[in-house]
Amino acid sequence: MAEQGLETYHGNCHCGAFKFSVRLPELKQVLACNCSICSKKGYLWALPSSNDLFVVEKGDGTLKDYQFGKKTMSHKFCPNCGTPVMGQRHVEGPSIAVNVRTFRDFDEEKLEIKPYDGAGLEPHYTPPNGPEESDLNGSTKCYRGSCHCGKVSYDLRSEALEDIGVLSCNCSICSRNADLWVYPSEKDVELRGGDHLTVYRFGRKVGGHAFCSTCGVPIMNQFEHPGGKELESMVGKLPVNARVIDGIDLKALKVTKGDGKNMMGPKYEV
């Protein structure tokens, strides 16, 4: 018997290789976990009351699994575009968690976000390449960011991020990844493990959204072929995702909203 009082929500990874529907009560509240993987990917979780309420409509078996620690949960992301779609706990009964950022017509402003202290659970995560934050000359700091598995990392030389802030873009890819961008020059970023990055391009293909091919964490945006006046400022820049900086207090950062959804065409469709 179908459960009553549920609404159907449709979602997909950015490239459309994986599409799904899920039945949930009217979506008003979501969970935001502060554990090491959830904070790096910016998950906003919804938990269907039964696995049967989650239906794969396209791409069954295409998502890549990433597990760590006690391996009690598989974090599933698209290996082509990097979209973090869902998690599945290794338990009997309801085990699926869905990232609502992948829902069509997702609007974070309409949701009540309930925090969950996953960072307090054992075993505690140790950043594989740090963390490192040090003063260089009193006004410039060195920040170390990394994917979750540690195969990709960067050092960023920048003014204090608490002072300069970060950009949250609402475009189709950034909203799915919950990216928090800073825009240093290329010379101020030292990248390690770049051969472990998968670069995803879409639309006009001027931006390359780069994520770790093992754990799926989004790291940076590589503008190899800037085009149009609106992207002239990207020449010589290497935008990095501040969300992945190890040990950073995201709540201490000033966030500026960017309207990439309406600034850069063509309109996203999948």
Side-chain angles (χ1 to χ4, degrees):
M1 179 181 295
E3 293 192 36
Q4 301 299 312
L6 300 181
E7 297 189 10
T8 300
Y9 295 89
H10 295 273
N12 56 271
C13 68
H14 191 273
C15 68
F18 186 86
K19 296 182 179 181
F20 66 91
S21 62
V22 61
R23 289 179 56 78
L24 298 163
E26 182 182 357
L27 196 62
K28 295 181 178 180
Q29 184 185 82
V30 292
L31 289 176
C33 176
N34 65 355
C35 79
S36 54
I37 186 72
C38 291
S39 59
K40 284 180 182 289
K41 291 193 175 187
Y43 284 122
L44 292 178
W45 294 116
L47 310 176
S49 59
S50 168
N51 289 354
D52 293 339
L53 298 175
F54 182 88
V55 178
V56 177
E57 298 180 345
K58 178 185 176 183
D60 191 19
T62 61
L63 297 182
K64 188 170 184 177
D65 284 3
Y66 173 65
Q67 301 181 59
F68 65 96
K70 294 182 178 180
K71 298 185 178 180
T72 59
M73 184 173 184
S74 293
H75 292 264
K76 298 175 183 287
F77 65 96
C78 176
N80 181 55
C81 63
T83 302
V85 176
M86 60 183 291
Q88 186 158 18
R89 294 162 290 164
H90 304 315
V91 296
E92 295 184 3
S95 61
I96 288 177
V98 186
N99 183 11
V100 305
R101 292 186 182 278
T102 63
F103 288 6
R104 296 172 199 169
D105 302 318
F106 164 75
D107 187 349
E108 185 174 352
E109 301 297 327
K110 295 181 179 180
L111 299 173
E112 177 188 353
I113 298 177
K114 182 179 180 181
Y116 177 77
D117 187 21
L121 302 177
E122 297 284 354
H124 295 303
Y125 175 73
T126 300
N129 296 290
E132 176 175 297
E133 179 182 329
S134 59
D135 290 311
L136 296 181
N137 59 19
S139 62
T140 303
K141 292 179 177 288
C142 181
Y143 296 93
R144 178 159 296 173
S146 70
C147 67
H148 192 271
C149 68
K151 290 185 177 179
V152 186
S153 64
Y154 67 75
D155 283 348
L156 164 67
R157 290 168 293 277
S158 171
E159 296 178 60
L161 296 183
E162 293 83 357
D163 295 332
I164 65 174
V166 295
L167 178 73
S168 174
C169 176
N170 66 356
C171 78
S172 55
I173 186 70
C174 293
S175 60
R176 278 173 166 75
N177 293 337
D179 296 317
L180 294 175
W181 295 113
V182 290
Y183 296 85
S185 64
E186 293 178 351
K187 64 181 178 60
D188 289 328
V189 179
E190 180 182 350
L191 176 67
R192 292 178 293 274
D195 54 331
H196 294 287
L197 288 173
T198 295
V199 180
Y200 170 63
R201 298 181 186 275
F202 66 97
R204 290 185 294 164
K205 303 185 186 301
V206 295
H209 295 262
F211 60 94
C212 174
S213 59
T214 297
C215 62
V217 170
I219 300 293
M220 58 181 49
N221 201 343
Q222 299 177 347
F223 285 94
E224 293 185 359
H225 306 287
K229 291 185 177 180
E230 72 273 21
L231 290 176
E232 287 180 352
S233 62
M234 289 297 102
V235 176
K237 301 283 189 180
L238 184 57
V240 294
N241 185 9
R243 181 176 285 281
V244 307
I245 294 175
D246 296 314
I248 196 168
D249 182 3
L250 296 176
K251 294 180 180 179
L253 301 180
K254 179 177 66 176
V255 178
T256 299
K257 301 291 185 179
D259 190 17
K261 181 178 181 179
N262 296 306
M263 182 182 73
M264 297 169 57
K267 181 180 178 181
Y268 173 71
E269 293 181 345
V270 66

